[in-house]
Amino acid sequence: MLLGEGDPAGGGAPSPVLQAHDVSVELGGLPVLRGVDLAVQPGEVVALLGGNGSGKSTLVRALLGLVPLSRGSVDLFGTPLRRFRSWRDVGYVPQRSAAAPGGAKVREVVGSGRLAHRRPFVPARAADRAAVARALAAVDLTDRARDDLAVLSGGQQQRVLIARALAAEPRLLVLDEPTAGVDLAHQEVLTAVLADLVAAGTAVLVVLHDVGSLGALVDRGVVLREGRVALDGPLASLGARLHPAAGGEHHEPEPVDPHWLDGTVIR
Ligand SMILES: Nc1ncnc2c1ncn2[C@@H]1O[C@H](COP(=O)(O)OP(=O)(O)OP(=O)(O)O)[C@@H](O)[C@H]1O
């Protein structure tokens, strides 16, 4: 983790890039998130884990102001969400959707990640074009830049969405199951790209089902269960709680319910 960023005084603990306090969300009249606390520090990589329907995507969307909170608060870079305007600092890769926008070219979709950097009616600057080119190269899709997004495979489309977020050169990158449908070789490419970003100080919040190769980057895992934080700690310690026999001595205060992490594999 890089320290110092976000710390106006230049000393002491840095301020979190993301801080959620007591976040609750209701959807369709039912509670989906119940009092979630979460902080992500500059340069930290936090994995959001939990079974299907535990509330991971809803939490990510709530943190970005995409669904309303019924209670609690979210600060981004120290600013309450309702006053936050610096969206160029935030990249978001939503959960993969089956529907690709028809007609959009790959380069346009990736280029849309630069919009927050650009002034209205001013053509893309060299810096914008270079950022798009770097992002396309990072996901190994330079040669598909002129293609319609819709003709790409599902995993390639997912890489385009990742490139769109990378092109923004964000200080906080939020990814919702970015490796779903992405082959192992390109998962490793993504891991290397994220490692570079993290080394440069970008914070990452990533929803994962299968920790896979990204696990090497993860500082901390937060496990949701029924809309609440069930566990929050270093990934290795969560693994030991999942597999106590393999982890040797461990200090789990309560018996582990084998069902709370259904669908999540920790390697
Ligand atoms: N728009 C909505 N209206 C009503 N209920 C919703 C809505 N969106 C999500 N939910 C419910 O909220 C709960 C949490 O959904 P969410 O998508 O956040 O889970 P998740 O942990 O991301 O699951 P998965 O691992 O399957 O992607 C689920 O029970 C879901 O049915």
Side-chain angles (χ1 to χ4, degrees), residues 27-28 32 50-59 95 176-177 207 209:
L27 294 173
V32 173
N52 291 136
S54 56
K56 304 178 297 297
S57 295
T58 304
L59 177 57
Q95 193 168 28
D176 195 344
E177 296 191 40
V207 175
H209 266 283

Side-chain angles (χ1 to χ4, degrees), residues 10-224:
S15 51
V17 296
L18 184 160
Q19 183 134 41
H21 174 62
D22 194 25
V23 163
S24 298
V25 168
E26 290 184 5
L27 294 173
L30 294 174
V32 173
L33 296 177
R34 309 157 198 247
V36 172
D37 290 328
L38 177 69
V40 180
Q41 307 297 335
E44 191 178 28
V45 181
V46 176
L48 206 47
L49 309 163
N52 291 136
S54 56
K56 304 178 297 297
S57 295
T58 304
L59 177 57
V60 157
R61 291 167 57 76
L63 297 173
L64 298 176
L66 299 172
V67 295
L69 311 186
S70 57
R71 206 177 63 217
S73 63
V74 175
D75 286 4
L76 291 174
F77 300 99
T79 302
L81 198 49
R82 67 179 176 286
R83 288 199 277 113
F84 184 74
R85 298 289 176 269
S86 189
W87 289 107
R88 61 188 280 168
D89 289 328
V90 182
Y92 174 44
V93 179
Q95 193 168 28
R96 185 171 158 198
S97 139
K105 304 286 184 204
V106 167
R107 192 192 302 280
E108 281 175 87
V109 175
V110 176
S112 69
R114 288 299 291 182
L115 285 178
H117 288 255
R118 291 175 52 185
R119 290 165 185 270
F121 312 118
V122 175
R125 297 167 304 146
D128 297 315
R129 290 193 297 273
V132 171
R134 271 197 304 276
L136 278 166
V139 299
D140 196 21
L141 284 174
T142 304
D143 59 341
R144 306 301 301 267
R146 291 169 201 272
D147 290 346
D148 272 0
L149 182 65
V151 305
L152 268 58
S153 75
Q156 289 167 337
Q157 289 179 14
Q158 177 70 357
R159 282 154 52 201
V160 171
L161 296 183
I162 292 166
R164 181 178 64 176
L166 296 178
E169 299 178 319
R171 293 164 61 205
L172 168 64
L173 184 55
V174 179
L175 309 114
D176 195 344
E177 296 191 40
T179 49
V182 174
D183 63 50
L184 279 180
H186 285 104
Q187 286 187 28
E188 281 168 17
V189 169
L190 173 63
T191 302
V193 170
L194 291 184
D196 286 348
L197 285 182
V198 171
T202 299
V204 177
L205 177 65
V206 57
V207 175
L208 292 174
H209 266 283
D210 184 342
V211 172
S213 64
L214 282 180
L217 294 181
V218 172
D219 296 306
R220 193 153 61 83
V222 174
V223 180
L224 288 189

